[in-house]
Amino acid sequence: MPSLSEDNLDMTPSSMEMNGNGGHKLAAASERVVPLMDAVVKVFCVHSMPNYSLPWQRKRQCSSSSSGFVIAGRRVLTNAHSVAHYTQVKLKKRGSDTKYLATVLAVGIDCDIALLTVKDNEFWEGVLPVEFGELPALQDAVTVGYPIGGDTISVTSGVVSRREILSYVHGSISMILVQVDAAINSGNSGGPAFNDKGNCVGIAFQSMTQEDAVNIGYVIPTPVINHFIQDYERNGAYTGFPILGFEWQKMENPDLRIAMGMKSDQKGILVTRVEATAPESEVLKSSDVILSFDGVNIGNDGTVPFRCGECIGFSYLFSQKYTGDNAKIKVLRDSVMHEFSIRLDTHKKLIPAYFIFFLHPKIGGTFGFGTFMLVLVADINIGYEDLANVQVLAVNGKPVKNLKSLASMVDSCNDEFLKFDLEFNKVVILRTETAKAATVDILATHCVPSAMSDDLKT
């Protein structure tokens, strides 16, 4: 699988302006193109990244620049990674020397899109919003933005060469994207891709990083953009794209299909694991065969019919739905046909949380699979300093369900000793009274403002 990376933001100053390859195309239609160029803005962001090892602290702030463009409703679209962990966002219009303070309305980490606005009325003077086109066919497109190498707008032209389901690096999920052979460099993030009619058909956001790959970039297509905007307008906040709450495998092998009780005219995919917290867990089981989704038959390779005789991964059907929508699926289970209605939902990621006692247990993994331990230096912790990222299984023989349960068990413990059972048969034992008394000094020594994050106090 090719290596993909989100378009790194422009953090390298340069005094030499780089011109795009598609300037001759735009010169022939300057009357139409100039308003489009005026809708493209440069995005300046100050980031303050979290420190996941020490969640009560943040890393040193850094600055970046990227691109964005004006849409209807006095709003601006850019990439989510352009404003990730922002502390301040400013926008500058083409040909202007003024930076306007922006407000972030919504951030879609999964689809890598962010929605901004500016309160200052002066910013909107003389700017016409772009109009969106349909999902582009295999045709020419123009990518616009503020790439590395200069401070003014740059234009490149390229051909839409592919449409398929691939990974969105920032959100770590797979959705439909459009591949182009236009150069997408650092700073192009968030810039619009226009078709030959002057309509926006996507947002530049990532490129292929393989050494033998040249000018292979990707844009977020309009179906994903429209879904993001409509989600925000429906709910007053961004709720996210529904995700597959199960894992699956292809059923191209004929022996596999026969063993699962499928008839010769049946096609589908095999469910291999269902996430326990996903809504699908209420109806799906491992070894189920999913034959169709909302009336659309799924092929043995996991694809469904697409436009112009093409096929696309069936997860595309999920991405057309909204959080809370229902969908009907046909399932073959033990050679018996079933039809279920499932409610679609998004992953609920846990925010980093911490609890300081004499140790520092922290949430482990992106989705909080377990509570892990990192030892802070203190006299009471002598001999335990080498313990790091070890899962806490139980306290005084009682299983630990999550970080909140751990904090509660430690706080309410009246036994003489606190015993922590860790994975790999490791153990930590301390006197309860001595350990609780040491908490204040440990907080002061390591500059921790509170013994636990606010979400654990309620």
Side-chain angles (χ1 to χ4, degrees), residues 308-323:
C308 302
E310 298 177 72
C311 290
I312 197 168
F314 82 97
S315 60
Y316 174 74
L317 302 177
F318 274 73
S319 68
Q320 300 304 292
K321 295 282 192 174
Y322 291 86
T323 302

Side-chain angles (χ1 to χ4, degrees), residues 162-173:
R162 183 178 294 164
R163 302 175 302 188
E164 63 179 332
I165 303 292
L166 280 179
S167 173
Y168 281 44
V169 176
H170 187 64
S172 298
I173 66 169

Side-chain angles (χ1 to χ4, degrees), residues 46-51 57-63:
V46 178
H47 309 262
S48 183
M49 303 294 182
N51 187 334
Q57 298 180 1
R58 286 185 173 269
K59 296 181 180 179
R60 182 179 179 180
Q61 70 179 26
C62 61
S63 300

